[in-house]
Amino acid sequence: MEFEPPHPSTNPLTVVPDYMLNRPVTPEHTIHDLSPSAVARPKSIDELSDLMSITNDNNLAIAPRGGGTQISLGNPLRAYDLAIETTGLNKMVSHDYADLTATVEAGVTVSNFQDTLANHRQFLAIDPPLPNQATIGGALAVGHSGPMKWQYWNPRDTVIGMKVVQPNGTLVKSGGRVVKNVSGYDMARLHIGGLGTLGIIVEVSFKLTPKPPVEATLIGSFDTINESLEKAMLIYQSDVLPLAIVTIDNKAAEQMRSDALHQSRHTLIVKLAGRERGLARQINECRNLFQCDSMNEKDAASLWGSISNFGYDKVTLPTLGVRISAPPSKLALLSKVIYDLSTDTALTPALVAHPAHGTLIANWHLDGSPIQSSTLRAMIGQIRNHTRTLRGHTFVEHYPIPQRSDLDVWDNYGGSMETMRNLKAQYDPRGTLNPGRFIGHI
Amino acid sequence: MVSLGKPSTRRLIEELKSVVGDEYVIHRDEDLLVFEYDGSVDKALPTAVVLPADTNEVVSVTKLAATYSIPITARGAGTGLSGGAIANHGGIVLALTRMTRIIQIDAENMTAIVEPGVVNIDLSTATAPYGLYYPPDPSSQKVCTLGGNVAENSGGPHCLAYGVTTNYVLGLEVVLANGSVQWFGETTREVGGYDLRGIMVGSEGTLGIVTKIAVRLVKIPEVVRTLLAVFNNVEDASLAVSDIIAAGIVPAALEMMDKLCIRAAEASVPAGYPQDAGAILLVEVDGLSEVTDEQVADIIHVCNKHSPIEIRTASDNIEREKLWAGRKGVIGALGRLAPNYYLVDGTVPRTRIMDTLKGVEKISKDYELPIGNLLHAGDGNLHPLILFDERKPGDTQKALEAGGKILELCIQAGGVLSGEHGIGMEKQEYMPLMFTDDDMTSMAKLKLAFETNDILNPGKIFPTGSSHVAIPQTGAISRTGPDAFI
Ligand SMILES: Cc1cc2nc3c(=O)[nH]c(=O)nc-3n(C[C@H](O)[C@H](O)[C@H](O)COP(=O)(O)OP(=O)(O)OC[C@H]3O[C@@H](n4cnc5c(N)ncnc54)[C@H](O)[C@@H]3O)c2cc1C
């Protein structure tokens, strides 16, 4: 079933009470090339519920917004009447530190949340870009993991309960505040990675991780990206249990402008943590696997920040960018594919990989180069073909706005599009939430 | 209950036989009894049990079910404890126990692809030569299938540090009610679009038939250290549990049993527990040897604050098995104490274990039924065992009511209805305790997004409004063999 845009779209100013439209429309509310007619920032979950029952009744096209850090993700919106900011839902509901769980409203920033947890030496094992700005709800709606994956888990693995306001305004909850639960369907999964297309996440309960007593970051550099990826695989397969393994190619190093990075070489960085003796042993084992230096805490923190933010902060924001998920052992081959294709088009990619997670991020700065949209489309097509043969898929994170409607930024696979459409039809029958923006333009 | 007329039934059986072969369709009443493990309710008798060989046969059978408008209930090893595999509306039981191929082990990338009938432990056995294993380890792991694990989102004693099934499933091949075959996810760590694989896990066979499972594997830990601490009472043991977690230690396993269970176990597998033991904690840590040594020392330190009667540690596998013997022996030993028991499965925040156990004790007094407690304590997952005698008039009903009261208690403590056994037809009537009408409508929409004819495992999860039905679990438990433990 295809979704029609909610037309004729209505001017929110005529149907939503004034007090709800409490924010000015600014350029930052523009998504792709569309601006909303109004902006609302509900101060409570109830207010959001009321607002959404109005937007639903009146077929308003709405786009939820957290910190706005990844607001340009996705396919072009078909319509956009109202932006709803979630940053007014900013209560830290509870930190049940003795239970290693916490509950928080979705508009709290990731940094603020982590700071609260740090009071009891705990943390949430997710690290999205721009955590000072990114909200909990936004980070989950996007659902990608950053470089640090505690034992290589995903954000979805940390969620134990969720409250969501559905497109028609009803508030529903699933899960709870306990770490083990199989009571009914695992509904939160619909919204993690769902980019706010089936409902707006308003409150989340998480399971937390104790902060390891000590941490270390090891860094080494290589002549070729292949060497750095090979060593990364060795560490991945060894006894060592790193928090993060990342490789950065020379071009990405240049863009990150970090003093810690050799700008003409390919870097491998490993983050380890644990107790003193265990850590010492892991450091030793890593040293046997690759030549490296230990970084001091401050430099390491700043470098990990740059890695998380790669592609999202001002200095590294690209014109074109893909995020590939593939078997870890295939990343070297895929890097070569990307270099070769870029050479053909006279473009230079910047590559960051999280090999243990099978993630390869490739970004290009087109900087006004006269590149045809057909060339870009062909290149993405070829990358996708190669990735698919290796049982992976390619998500387009950044794409020039005028050409957006050329492609689906999601890689459609497994024949599951029909089921995804059915989900959208069930939960958002009027197609009011982020219409057109998600996979398959639903 | 769906019943086809005799001629249609005969035609259906013939058509099923032509799909899977004569020997893989079971339809004679006397043969079907094995698959009707709810012995008390004869409406659970399916029309036929079909054992498909592969995905194509599953597709054909599913299409036949649609044509005849009869339900289809998937079944693995039948060890489920909430009645999930019972065909309570009749129809076809699709037993996946012939689909036992391990299709791929990709040691380099630490993933495997298997068919749903593969027995849980067989996967870890097959990957052991590569130094890898599959962590979710339900106590029934020697018999239960990975397909059943996916449907129930099963956990196990080691899910405290390692997580449950959903944390390991990367992708699923699923046959939907209309016979279409779709892959949800793949072998990659991230997926695009809605997380359908996450939605399928724990859906109790109501959304689709899982025909292939891609999972993530983990390196076998270098060392495992096991420790047993004996306390005077459950209060002290519960406090030790919270303190271990609060100290920033997340053990691989953290199990508890109370006096009644200890007594039962001691009578059948003497582990030499002190006579006056009121509660026992079994703690396991794993990882690098340097780390586990320190963790064991820290755990002993924490336990010592709560006046333990005794603390024992094991360093090799033989000693480890000894420490586990009592814990594993409880179920087998309960038969000595009472003819029947009803196993309850709720979860509370770990800090509320002590209060909840006190509440359970009160319920035991109120209903005059002995209740023993086994706990995956680190997760806050309680397994109260209500002892009763079905031959005594009213006893079964009393046991069921007491079970209901315990679940209410769990909910009041901020907990949930089920930690690992699922809702099925056992706890469906309790769903309103935890969920509003809006919550349940939202769940119903999920079902509708997958199928609208209610062919897949109907009559499960959602409340029917009828009074609670007994699920004698003894059948399921005996299926796991003489050394079954919970
Ligand atoms: C002694 C004992 C100990 C146990 N210990 C634990 C424990 O520690 N942790 C725990 O979590 N559970 C435990 N259980 C419960 C049970 O073993 C698990 O729920 C297990 O996952 C069920 O697997 P099974 O193959 O027996 O599935 P079944 O009982 O045959 O089926 C269970 C459900 O799965 C569905 N299903 C089965 N296969 C498929 C498929 N391929 N596609 C779709 N749906 C399917 C069925 O329709 C049914 O709803 C225990 C049970 C016993 C008897």
Side-chain angles (χ1 to χ4, degrees), chain B residues 37 73-81 84-85 96 116 137-140 143-145 147-149 151-157 204-205 208-211 376 420-421 457 476-477 480 484-486:
Chain B
Y37 67 85
T73 299
R75 181 184 172 96
T79 68
L81 291 169
L96 294 141
D137 60 341
S139 310
S140 50
V143 274
C144 68
T145 65
N149 294 172
E152 300 287 358
N153 190 16
S154 298
E204 304 193 11
I209 312 283
V210 174
T211 46
H376 302 304
E420 56 180 18
H421 297 161
N457 211 1
I477 288 166
T480 61
F485 75 105
I486 300 285

Side-chain angles (χ1 to χ4, degrees), chain A residues 337-352:
Chain A
V337 165
I338 287 175
Y339 284 135
D340 290 351
L341 285 171
S342 303
T343 313
D344 295 350
T345 48
L347 296 171
T348 317
L351 302 190
V352 168

Side-chain angles (χ1 to χ4, degrees), chain B residues 223-225 285-297:
Chain B
V223 283
V224 180
R225 299 281 310 271
V285 292
D286 63 20
L288 300 178
S289 57
E290 290 84 350
V291 180
T292 49
D293 287 351
E294 290 178 13
Q295 284 179 328
V296 167

Side-chain angles (χ1 to χ4, degrees), chain A residues 240-315:
Chain A
V240 178
L241 291 168
L243 286 196
I245 309 177
V246 171
T247 65
I248 300 174
D249 83 344
N250 52 355
K251 184 73 183 170
E254 193 186 307
Q255 289 178 11
M256 285 188 197
R257 298 185 201 160
S258 158
D259 291 341
L261 299 174
H262 222 294
Q263 306 214 340
S264 55
R265 289 171 66 80
H266 302 269
T267 308
L268 168 61
I269 309 159
V270 179
K271 186 174 191 169
L272 302 163
R275 291 160 178 255
E276 226 47 85
R277 284 174 57 215
L279 184 66
R281 155 132 180 243
Q282 296 202 60
I283 292 177
N284 266 337
E285 297 206 357
C286 281
R287 284 191 195 284
N288 290 336
L289 295 172
F290 81 114
Q291 204 190 348
C292 56
D293 297 317
S294 268
M295 292 182 72
N296 71 46
E297 213 176 307
K298 192 162 145 271
D299 292 349
S302 135
L303 179 57
W304 285 112
S306 308
I307 293 169
S308 287
N309 295 347
F310 178 70
Y312 287 93
D313 53 15
K314 286 206 183 67
V315 282

Side-chain angles (χ1 to χ4, degrees), chain A residues 309-326:
Chain A
N309 295 347
F310 178 70
Y312 287 93
D313 53 15
K314 286 206 183 67
V315 282
T316 60
L317 189 71
T319 338
L320 175 70
V322 296
R323 182 185 180 94
I324 294 173
S325 198

Side-chain angles (χ1 to χ4, degrees), chain B residues 30-201:
Chain B
E30 60 273 25
D31 300 333
L32 288 173
L33 282 175
V34 194
F35 291 89
E36 172 227 40
Y37 67 85
D38 179 2
S40 68
V41 195
D42 65 356
K43 72 176 181 188
L45 211 59
T47 307
V49 176
V50 182
L51 293 100
D54 57 26
T55 305
N56 287 338
E57 292 188 1
V58 172
V59 170
S60 305
V61 174
T62 310
K63 286 185 173 157
L64 277 176
T67 311
Y68 284 81
S69 286
I70 53 165
I72 181 160
T73 299
R75 181 184 172 96
T79 68
L81 291 169
S82 53
I86 299 179
N88 63 337
H89 287 213
I92 298 172
V93 163
L94 194 68
L96 294 141
T97 41
R98 276 176 74 213
M99 293 177 59
T100 54
R101 278 188 314 146
I102 294 180
I103 298 165
Q104 185 200 56
I105 296 173
D106 180 350
E108 199 178 20
N109 294 301
M110 302 191 212
T111 57
I113 303 177
V114 301
E115 288 186 335
V118 171
V119 168
N120 176 296
I121 191 94
D122 291 349
L123 175 57
S124 288
T125 309
T127 59
Y130 306 99
L132 299 171
Y133 80 115
Y134 174 70
D137 60 341
S139 310
S140 50
Q141 73 175 158
K142 285 184 192 159
V143 274
C144 68
T145 65
L146 289 164
N149 294 172
V150 167
E152 300 287 358
N153 190 16
S154 298
H158 291 88
C159 68
L160 173 53
Y162 285 96
V164 294
T165 304
T166 195
N167 306 121
Y168 291 87
V169 172
L170 297 172
L172 297 169
E173 183 192 73
V174 178
V175 176
L176 297 184
N178 64 8
S180 80
V181 183
Q182 306 185 355
W183 262 99
F184 297 163
E186 253 246 36
T187 50
T188 49
R189 304 303 203 260
E190 289 182 356
V191 272
Y194 299 124
D195 181 13
L196 297 173
R197 62 183 175 183
I199 286 292
M200 274 303 294
V201 179

